[in-house]
Amino acid sequence: DHKFQRQGFGKKALSLIIKEMSKNKQCSEIYISYEPENYFAKKLYEELGFENTGKILDDEMLYCLKI
């Protein structure tokens, strides 16, 4: 819903997911993808430490966060 966008909810939620996944000793990487024209997703993922893998998956940019 547009009225809840750009208020930091996504960043907070993704930060909590990363924190939980980091507790799993078998998890060393987290992958995420987004549509290339979604500048806000790109910015959010990069702020949280995700890096571009240089790969495209189902027409989406694939990013990875090494834990």
Side-chain angles (χ1 to χ4, degrees), residues 51-57 60-64:
E51 295 180 355
N52 189 345
T53 65
K55 298 179 182 178
I56 297 175
L57 181 66
E60 294 190 351
M61 305 300 297
L62 185 64
Y63 271 47
C64 177

Side-chain angles (χ1 to χ4, degrees), residues 27-45:
C27 181
S28 61
E29 299 173 321
I30 301 172
Y31 288 87
I32 199 161
S33 65
Y34 70 93
E35 295 179 358
E37 64 275 2
N38 189 341
Y39 169 78
F40 294 108
K42 178 182 190 294
K43 184 177 181 228
L44 169 65
Y45 300 148

